[in-house]
Amino acid sequence: PALPPGASYDYDIKSPIPYDGPLTKTDKLWPEPVETWTAGEDVTIKFMSQSASHGGGSLAIGLGFTSGGPSVMIFQRLRHAFFNGPSSSNTAEVLEYTFKLPADVPSCDNAVISMVFFNRLGVREMYHLTSNVKITSNSGTTSFTGPQMVIANHAGYPTIPESDDYDIATGVSLFENAPNITISMNGGYSAGGSAPPKYEAPAPSNVQPIASPAPVESPVPSSTAPLPLAPAVPTTADYAGNPAPAAPTYQARVAPIPAKCK
């Protein structure tokens, strides 16, 4: 799709976001969505093959109605993202996940889909990418409620320690304790609301082994449009070995821009 006005292509799309920079790679909405999704039906997220996987970690897909604003998690793969189970490999086994888009999401011509990934091994990092999709829905709703997207390994947020304990090293407690929020089509959001059922990705059936060694970047959706990115800043991890605390209140780093919803 065409770039947002004033934006440039991101040739470093597989790098983590800067530790003390914006939480999003861009504060602009794309003029056109990259895909059309239908509420209540299965959608598939695919990932680049030549990317480092850091022995797994936790991954989530979120839905939002603002560029630079909070989002609600609609899919999680905890502990072993990009693998079928425990692994210390840097080469991914799983390159796509299929999940059902909730039936009660509103229609939106340019909704914001986000992905976060927290690596189990290596420097404490947060990978965060966004893209815009069109959502068609017969729900008749104007808002959506669910667990707030987890933010960690970033200034002002918890650090997920590196650990031999998978739950600690992948921030499982942050996902399990994520507070519910309600996001509205007009760009507003509020705390609380009824929680959807807890979910965890099923064992993947579409495993795609990678024959060649992966470079030192992390997996990202292949359908995600290129976005502007500042250079990554390595962070110092907290190796205390204690579970990460509950997520703090969302802190916007850019002025949220409402999506074009109808």
Side-chain angles (χ1 to χ4, degrees):
L3 287 169
S8 58
Y9 284 108
D10 174 16
Y11 294 102
D12 201 17
I13 195 171
K14 294 185 286 186
S15 293
I17 62 172
Y19 174 73
D20 56 356
L23 287 169
T24 57
K25 291 190 172 187
T26 181
D27 59 356
K28 299 176 175 64
L29 286 172
W30 291 78
E32 300 293 335
V34 297
E35 289 185 350
T36 297
W37 291 1
T38 301
E41 295 188 1
D42 286 350
V43 296
T44 298
I45 298 288
K46 296 182 179 181
F47 297 86
M48 291 172 149
S49 60
Q50 294 186 347
S51 300
S53 304
H54 301 283
S58 289
L59 174 149
I61 305 296
L63 167 68
F65 299 123
T66 58
S67 176
S71 59
V72 167
M73 290 186 284
I74 55 176
F75 173 80
Q76 296 176 0
R77 173 54 171 159
L78 304 182
R79 303 176 182 85
H80 311 303
F82 308 114
F83 292 94
N84 293 305
S87 176
S88 295
S89 174
N90 207 30
T91 301
E93 296 174 331
V94 180
L95 293 176
E96 62 182 69
Y97 288 107
T98 296
F99 59 94
K100 190 178 294 295
L101 184 65
D104 57 340
V105 300
S107 292
C108 187
D109 285 349
N110 216 1
V112 179
I113 299 299
S114 57
M115 182 215 76
V116 299
F117 171 64
F118 303 105
N119 52 302
R120 184 176 74 86
L121 300 176
V123 175
R124 306 291 80 199
E125 295 168 329
M126 175 179 174
Y127 296 82
H128 186 202
L129 294 170
T130 61
S131 190
N132 296 105
V133 302
K134 179 178 180 179
I135 294 177
T136 60
S137 174
N138 295 320
S139 67
T141 58
T142 59
S143 63
F144 181 64
T145 298
Q148 183 175 341
M149 177 63 85
V150 171
I151 302 172
N153 299 341
H154 193 274
Y157 293 89
T159 294
I160 298 174
E162 190 172 23
S163 172
D164 291 333
D165 185 315
Y166 271 84
D167 284 7
I168 292 175
T170 61
V172 170
S173 64
L174 289 175
F175 289 88
E176 293 180 341
N177 296 320
N180 289 330
I181 60 171
T182 297
I183 53 175
S184 301
M185 291 171 57
N186 63 5
Y189 71 97
S190 59
S194 300
K198 286 185 176 293
Y199 46 77
E200 170 79 353
S205 58
N206 44 6
V207 177
Q208 302 181 27
I210 303 171
S212 58
V216 293
E217 299 93 354
S218 243
V220 295
S222 59
S223 61
T224 300
L227 301 172
L229 175 67
V233 178
T235 66
T236 300
D238 172 9
Y239 295 100
N242 296 315
T249 304
Y250 175 82
Q251 303 171 22
R253 298 280 174 144
V254 295
I257 301 174
K260 295 182 293 184
C261 294
K262 291 183 179 179

